[in-house]
């Protein structure tokens, strides 16, 4: 039996795209007399023909019943206070084959013994985490932050009614093949629009993150936001302000992973959200640059983000690369209407550090973003010696370099003058590849002797000076890699400490 759907709505479930292991979770719940419906983003993406990121199951079974049904080796009580149990399944590449959770002991081992993130050679994850959540409503929200309590409700419809957007409030029972769509989510999917379930302003006042989810999901799906829902964003900024930094950060990083993040940034600007989250970016609005740029700083930034590649953190580097420009701008002497942005990357790196701390990025991510902003202005000339190239690689760090080049390419594209980035970057890229190919020492750890040998040669104990000496040896080796042998380094070391 095909799911019934009103004529003209092109959205339908292709049941073959529901993974067998996900269906097996539903089948087990159904066999035990419970309901089981796929809900949320997974079913939305299936209706859109997009590969779902994850699968959520809504059930009338209580968490303890779900735990008992799948056993503690398969079921992890990840969010009991929210009614959520995570069931670990085994994803099989074979057509249609799947792990029936809890069936065989070999499966049992592999279902729980592996790192869920581990990839098979085929690139597919071995394990899947299916979140099984008891039908729930939500108690009163305190401060627009989090529901103060969770209450279980009796029906799928009630559960769907507390969800944020109509497209996310659709349920599908893969066993009886029944689709439940009480808020006309399929109509909105067909019209490519994000629409709040119920009264948008009231829903946004319950949870201040929802406005940002609306913008992020509209950007990811390249949908419009239904006008009343869009208007409600501006009306509820006072609640949005109270949302925790971590939740905002996660949304921003997801938004930056969309094909065209500028769409979301523009929506944030128009609704007033950008002034709350990243007011620094607004400083670039209307800030004209110079003859090299078609756009003002703000528009240029949007163009660079859209042209940028890499992960969300790399793209955050693109978003912030010129954040210091408005504050660093100076009129150019003798050239009316022209400006200089001397050291804007230094101003920008400091601002970026503050922004990343505000958003509570991890230290590693913050370091990467700050490095991208700080180094994005490198200027190569053909007179660089090989030593200069090695020093450059060392300063930036070999791990950051690919992202830095990608950022510069996007920066050139974002000038809007149809220039070929290869002309500006190609030669340096080739020379860096040559440096890597010769396997030259680029860090202290690459030297042919280490701290222990320094101490042995000089007959000294440990101390700060050992590190300083290694750095000085590296300086010499960067200029002349042939010096990186134990014998040469021992000689250089003795010269360095010899009294003058
Ligand atoms: P994604 O593709 O990012 O996973 P998603 O819609 O699945 O999108 P999740 O954060 O995984 O987003 O949430 C799963 C479902 O839970 C949503 O589809 C929605 O039904 C519901 N939901 C999530 N966050 C909220 C919220 N803040 N308010 C109401 N419902 C929410
Ligand atoms: Mg999801």
């Amino acid at each position: 039996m095909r799911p019934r759907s009103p004529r003209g709505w092109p959205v339908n479930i292709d049941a073959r795209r529901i993974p067998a292991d996900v269906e097996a979770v539903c089948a087990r719940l159904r066999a035990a007399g419970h309901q089981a419906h796929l809900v949320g983003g997974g079913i939305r993406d299936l209706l859109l023909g997009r590969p779902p990121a994850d699968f959520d199951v809504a059930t009338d079974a209580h968490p303890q019943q779900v735990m008992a049904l799948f056993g503690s080796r398969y079921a992890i009580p990840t969010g009991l206070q929210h009614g959520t149990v995570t069931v670990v399944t085994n994803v099989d590449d074979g057509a249609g084959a799947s792990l029936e959770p809890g069936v065989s002991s070999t499966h049992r081992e592999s279902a729980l013994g592996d790192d869920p993130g581990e990839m098979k050679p085929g690139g597919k994850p071995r394990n899947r985490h299916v979140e099984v959540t008891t039908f729930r409503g939500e108690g009163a929200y305190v401060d627009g932050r989090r529901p103060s309590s969770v209450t279980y409700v009796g029906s799928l419809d009630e559960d769907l009614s507390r969800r944020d957007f109509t497209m996310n409030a659709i349920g599908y029972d893969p066993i009886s093949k029944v689709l439940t769509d009480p808020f006309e989510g399929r109509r909105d999917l067909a019209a490519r629009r994000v629409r709040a379930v119920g009264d948008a302003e009231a829903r946004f006042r319950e949870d201040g993150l929802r406005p940002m989810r609306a913008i992020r999901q509209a950007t990811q799906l390249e949908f419009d936001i239904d006008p009343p829902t869009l208007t409600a964003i501006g009306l509820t900024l006072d609640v949005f302000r109270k949302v925790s930094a971590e939740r905002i950060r996660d949304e921003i990083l997801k938004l930056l992973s969309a094909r065209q993040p500028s769409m979301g940034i523009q929506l944030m600007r128009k609704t007033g959200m950008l002034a709350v989250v990243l007011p620094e970016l607004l400083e670039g609005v209307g800030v004209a640059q110079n003859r090299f740029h078609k756009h003002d700083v703000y528009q240029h930034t949007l163009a660079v983000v859209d042209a940028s590649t890499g992960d969300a953190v790399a793209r955050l580097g693109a978003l912030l690369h010129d954040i210091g420009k408005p504050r660093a701008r100076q009129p150019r002497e003798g050239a009316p209407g022209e400006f200089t942005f001397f050291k804007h990357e230094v101003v920008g790196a400091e601002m970026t550090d503050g922004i990343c701390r505000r958003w509570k990025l991890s230290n590693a991510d913050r370091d990467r973003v700050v490095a991208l902003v700080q180094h994005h202005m490198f200027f190569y000339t053909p007179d660089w010696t090989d030593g200069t190239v090695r020093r450059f690689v060392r300063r930036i760090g070999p791990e950051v370099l690919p992202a830095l080049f990608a950022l510069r390419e996007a920066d050139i594209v974002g000038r809007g003058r149809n220039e070929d980035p290869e002309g500006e970057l190609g030669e340096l890229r080739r020379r860096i590849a040559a440096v890597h190919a010769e396997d030259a020492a680029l860090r202290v750890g690459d030297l042919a002797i280490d701290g222990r040998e320094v101490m042995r040669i000089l007959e000294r104990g440990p101390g700060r000076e050992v590190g300083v000496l290694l750095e000085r040896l590296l300086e010499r080796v960067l200029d002349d890699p042939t010096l990186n042998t134990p014998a040469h380094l021992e000689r250089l070391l003795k010269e360095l400490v010899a009294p003058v």
Side-chain angles (χ1 to χ4, degrees):
M1 198 176 64
R2 309 267 317 154
R4 265 174 296 148
S5 81
R7 252 192 311 165
W9 296 351
V11 276
N12 233 327
I13 304 273
D14 179 355
R16 288 165 308 181
R17 299 188 59 180
I18 298 174
D21 57 299
V22 173
E23 192 173 320
V25 172
C26 294
R28 177 161 291 218
L29 283 158
R30 289 293 308 265
H34 301 293
Q35 295 186 47
H37 306 267
L38 298 173
V39 289
I43 209 69
R44 176 200 66 219
D45 290 341
L46 277 181
L47 284 163
L48 286 171
R50 287 164 52 100
D54 45 33
F55 286 92
D56 298 323
V57 174
T59 180
D60 56 350
H62 277 220
Q64 293 76 7
Q65 294 174 299
V66 178
M67 287 296 301
L69 201 53
F70 291 93
S72 59
R73 299 200 62 177
Y74 289 102
I76 313 171
T78 42
L80 284 187
Q81 68 278 31
H82 305 117
T84 300
V85 170
T86 298
V87 175
V88 182
T89 66
N90 209 12
V91 179
D92 202 311
D93 302 359
S98 83
L99 168 74
E100 272 277 1
V103 175
S104 88
S105 62
T106 29
H107 277 147
R108 192 175 303 201
E109 301 311 320
S110 65
L112 285 179
D114 296 333
D115 172 359
E118 195 182 325
M119 301 297 259
K120 277 192 173 180
K124 292 194 176 165
R126 281 170 184 275
N127 297 126
R128 190 195 315 276
H129 284 190
V130 179
E131 296 217 325
V132 179
T133 304
T134 309
F135 293 155
R136 57 175 224 219
E138 273 158 354
Y141 280 79
V142 177
D143 263 8
R145 280 165 173 258
R146 284 279 183 196
S148 54
S149 64
V150 169
T151 51
Y152 296 132
V153 295
S155 72
L156 174 66
D157 277 40
E158 282 174 273
D159 178 273
L160 294 176
S161 71
R162 59 100 186 157
R163 294 177 181 268
D164 47 8
F165 308 116
T166 60
M167 62 182 187
N168 294 337
I170 303 173
Y172 181 67
D173 172 346
I175 308 305
S176 60
K177 303 194 170 23
V178 170
L179 193 115
T180 309
D181 180 15
F183 305 103
E184 303 191 309
R186 280 172 302 164
R187 192 191 59 179
D188 288 327
L189 282 175
R192 304 178 67 78
R193 108 190 125 206
V194 177
R195 186 163 64 92
V197 170
D199 179 67
E201 185 178 345
R203 301 308 311 286
F204 290 176
R205 290 206 168 278
E206 284 172 356
D207 179 356
L209 188 71
R210 287 177 187 153
M212 178 119 206
R213 280 179 56 88
I215 289 179
R216 186 262 292 179
Q217 296 204 329
T219 306
Q220 283 180 324
L221 300 171
E222 306 188 358
F223 278 19
D224 291 324
I225 300 181
D226 193 43
T229 300
L230 187 63
T231 306
I233 297 178
L235 299 175
T236 54
L237 290 174
D238 55 321
V239 187
F240 175 67
R241 263 175 227 286
K242 297 175 187 164
V243 174
S244 73
E246 293 86 345
R247 293 179 89 198
I248 290 183
R249 171 202 60 208
D250 292 349
E251 289 297 321
I252 296 227
L253 293 177
K254 284 182 188 172
L255 189 151
L256 286 171
S257 308
R259 193 179 69 90
Q260 228 185 318
S262 66
M263 194 186 142
I265 309 280
Q266 287 284 57
L267 281 169
M268 288 175 72
R269 180 180 163 211
K270 284 189 191 131
T271 53
M273 192 179 269
L274 194 56
V276 177
V277 173
L278 190 55
E280 295 91 338
L281 203 61
L282 291 169
E283 294 172 19
V285 174
V287 174
Q289 305 195 62
N290 52 37
R291 62 202 144 86
F292 299 115
H293 286 88
K294 202 168 104 182
H295 305 302
D296 68 11
V297 172
Y298 174 77
Q299 291 294 341
H300 164 71
T301 297
L302 295 195
V304 175
V305 175
D306 284 353
S308 68
T309 54
D311 64 4
V313 172
R315 294 188 101 187
L316 183 57
L319 182 69
L320 300 179
H321 80 287
D322 274 350
I323 200 83
K325 266 192 168 177
R327 295 187 193 179
R329 188 169 83 144
Q330 303 272 351
R332 186 190 292 278
E333 258 179 65
E338 293 252 326
F339 298 93
T340 65
F341 299 93
F342 188 58
K343 296 239 172 190
H344 76 266
E345 70 277 20
V346 178
V347 177
E350 196 163 313
M351 292 170 73
T352 297
D353 185 79
I355 291 163
C356 292
R357 285 176 195 275
R358 194 165 84 213
W359 289 348
K360 299 197 163 51
L361 258 74
S362 69
N363 291 347
D365 287 349
R366 187 183 70 227
D367 287 349
R368 233 171 103 207
V369 181
V370 170
L372 288 172
V373 175
Q374 186 175 348
H375 297 301
H376 84 272
M377 289 299 290
F378 65 84
F379 184 69
Y380 170 79
T381 52
D383 63 352
W384 282 21
T385 64
D386 286 348
T388 318
V389 174
R390 285 184 212 107
R391 251 179 259 280
F392 175 76
V393 174
R394 175 179 176 235
R395 186 157 43 87
I396 312 289
E399 324 74 43
V400 179
L401 265 181
L404 187 67
F405 269 77
L407 170 57
R408 268 296 278 273
E409 276 179 35
D411 200 0
I412 294 167
V413 172
R415 287 185 206 145
R417 290 158 47 97
N418 285 326
E419 292 152 302
D420 175 16
E422 230 12 56
E424 209 170 298
L425 301 174
E427 188 171 328
L428 179 56
R429 201 197 300 274
R430 281 188 292 279
R431 291 192 62 186
I432 289 174
V435 162
H436 280 301
E438 73 191 10
D439 210 14
L442 296 170
R443 315 171 241 236
V444 165
D446 299 332
L447 290 173
I449 63 172
D450 62 9
R452 226 169 330 150
E453 266 154 289
V454 170
M455 291 188 280
R456 182 188 56 77
I457 294 163
L458 301 182
E459 296 173 359
R460 292 188 189 174
R464 219 178 64 83
E465 212 203 349
V466 175
V468 174
L469 287 168
L470 284 168
E471 290 286 341
R472 291 182 66 184
L473 290 177
L474 179 62
E475 283 298 316
R476 299 291 301 272
V477 169
L478 286 168
D479 279 327
D480 181 359
T482 64
L483 294 175
N484 194 20
T485 65
H488 280 305
L489 293 181
E490 179 161 351
R491 179 179 53 79
L492 283 174
L493 190 61
K494 286 179 174 156
E495 278 172 27
L496 282 174
V497 297
V500 263

